[in-house]
Amino acid sequence: MLVNLSASDLFSLKGKTVLLTGASGYLGRTFSRAVLENGARLIALGRSDRLGREVAEWQREFGRDQVTSYQIDMYDIEALGALLDTIVKGESSIDVLINNAHELGPNTGFNVEAGSFENASYDQWERHFLGGVYWPALTAQKLGPKMKAQKAGSIINISTMYALVAPSPALYEGTEMLNPPGYSASKAALLALTRYLASFWGRHGIRANAILPGPFSNVEDKSANSVSEDDPFLERLKSRTCLGRIGRPGELVGCLVYLASDASSYVTGQALSIDGGWTIT
C-alpha cells in the first residue's frame, strides 16, 4: 500500500469531526483554532461564558457549519452524560476526542493552603479525580460505540509532565503558589486510562494517546487570572527547563494535530512530553 508522504495530506484534518472539552479555556482556545485551521469540524464543549464569544468569532472566520458549541458544567455528571448522548445521536461521525477540560483553581486546591497534602479533604480529592479522570472516562465511554462502529477514532488526553515527575518544592518556597497532590495523582491516572483504552480498543481501530505539557503560563492571556510577566515564579520555571523559557500554547499544536491526523495512524498508548526538556534532567 502506497502512503502519501505529503505533509499537507498526512497532517490534514479535513473531513474529520473533533469533539473538544474545555474549549473555552486558555489552551482549549488554541486547540480549537488549531483543528479548525487544519480543516476539521469542531464540537466545542466549555463552561465559561467566553465560549459563546469565541465560537461566534470562529464561525465568522471558518463558517457556521464548521463549529458547534455546548455550554456545560462538567461537574453536573447527569447533564454531561445526557449532552454527550444527544451529540452522539446527532452526529454521523466523531473522529477525534480531545479530553482537555480540567479545573485549575482554588476549588481544586491550586495556590490555597487547603490544597496542600496536609490539609486536602476528601472533597478536594474527589473533585480532582472527577475532573482529571472521570470526565475523560465518561466522554470516551459515550463516544466509544460510535468510534467502534466507524472502526476508527483518535482519543487525545491532555495530561501533564507532573504525571511523570513530582513538582519540585524549591519552585514554590517563598511564593503563594501551590501545586496540589491530587493534580499529579489524577493526571497519572489519566495516563493509565490512556494505555487501557489503547489496549482494549485498538482492535476496533481506535487509538488513544496523551500529551504531557510542561510549564505553560497564561501570562499572554491578559485576563484577571493571568500571571504577571514580572512574577518571579516565572523565572524559576524558565530556569528549570533545558530551553530556558516557558512554553507557548501554539507549541502544543504540532503534537495535537499529529495525534489527531493520519500522520500518527500507527501510534497508540503513548505519552508525549512537551516540556522544554524539563523531565530529562
Side-chain angles (χ1 to χ4, degrees):
M1 178 179 176
L2 294 177
V3 177
N4 191 325
L5 300 181
S6 167
S8 61
D9 292 326
L10 275 174
F11 292 89
S12 174
L13 301 181
K14 188 174 182 180
K16 294 184 183 293
T17 296
V18 176
L19 189 147
L20 168 67
T21 68
S24 54
Y26 180 52
L27 295 181
R29 297 195 297 274
T30 298
F31 293 164
S32 296
R33 178 167 289 278
V35 299
L36 288 166
E37 289 275 8
N38 286 278
R41 178 173 166 269
L42 174 65
I43 303 172
L45 274 61
R47 180 174 65 172
S48 170
D49 290 337
R50 182 167 185 164
L51 179 65
R53 300 192 296 273
E54 295 290 340
V55 167
E57 180 179 335
W58 298 333
Q59 288 178 333
R60 285 194 296 271
E61 186 171 351
F62 299 101
R64 295 189 62 85
D65 293 341
Q66 288 299 105
V67 188
T68 303
S69 67
Y70 299 91
Q71 190 169 6
I72 180 73
D73 183 347
M74 296 182 75
Y75 282 110
D76 189 338
I77 296 299
E78 185 175 346
L80 175 60
L83 173 60
L84 292 170
D85 285 338
T86 299
I87 292 172
V88 168
K89 289 179 182 178
E91 295 293 332
S92 59
S93 68
I94 299 177
D95 306 288
V96 181
L97 165 61
I98 304 173
N99 282 311
N100 171 63
H102 191 108
E103 183 177 9
L104 303 176
N107 287 337
T108 47
F110 281 87
N111 306 328
V112 292
E113 191 59 30
S116 68
F117 181 78
E118 291 79 2
N119 296 320
S121 65
Y122 175 78
D123 182 64
Q124 285 272 337
W125 281 95
E126 184 180 46
R127 289 175 73 88
H128 272 295
F129 279 102
L130 178 64
V133 180
Y134 190 65
W135 293 346
L138 177 63
T139 308
Q141 185 183 62
K142 293 292 187 179
L143 271 57
K146 182 171 285 293
M147 288 185 170
K148 289 179 180 179
Q150 298 166 184
K151 300 187 183 304
S154 175
I155 298 172
I156 305 170
N157 293 322
I158 307 302
S159 182
T160 173
M161 66 180 182
Y162 285 149
L164 299 179
V165 297
S168 170
L171 285 173
Y172 302 93
E173 290 176 357
T175 76
E176 296 181 356
M177 301 294 183
L178 186 148
N179 194 298
Y183 181 64
S184 297
S186 65
K187 291 299 191 179
L190 184 58
L191 291 190
L193 176 64
T194 301
R195 292 189 289 266
Y196 186 96
L197 292 176
S199 178
F200 278 80
W201 286 5
R203 70 194 71 176
H204 302 291
I206 300 171
R207 300 181 294 110
N209 294 284
I211 295 176
L212 282 60
F216 282 79
S217 167
N218 63 353
V219 66
E220 297 176 358
D221 195 20
K222 307 303 181 185
S223 68
N225 297 320
S226 63
V227 178
S228 170
E229 291 185 17
D230 59 1
D231 192 320
F233 184 66
L234 287 184
E235 292 304 316
R236 294 188 183 185
L237 292 180
K238 292 176 183 178
S239 65
R240 181 64 180 75
T241 68
C242 294
L243 296 180
R245 62 178 178 84
I246 58 174
R248 297 179 288 270
E251 292 177 308
L252 293 168
V253 166
C255 184
L256 186 81
V257 173
Y258 168 66
L259 292 176
S261 71
D262 294 338
S264 60
S265 59
Y266 200 53
V267 177
T268 194
Q270 303 304 304
L272 305 181
S273 297
I274 305 178
D275 60 10
W278 185 296
T279 53
I280 69 167
T281 61

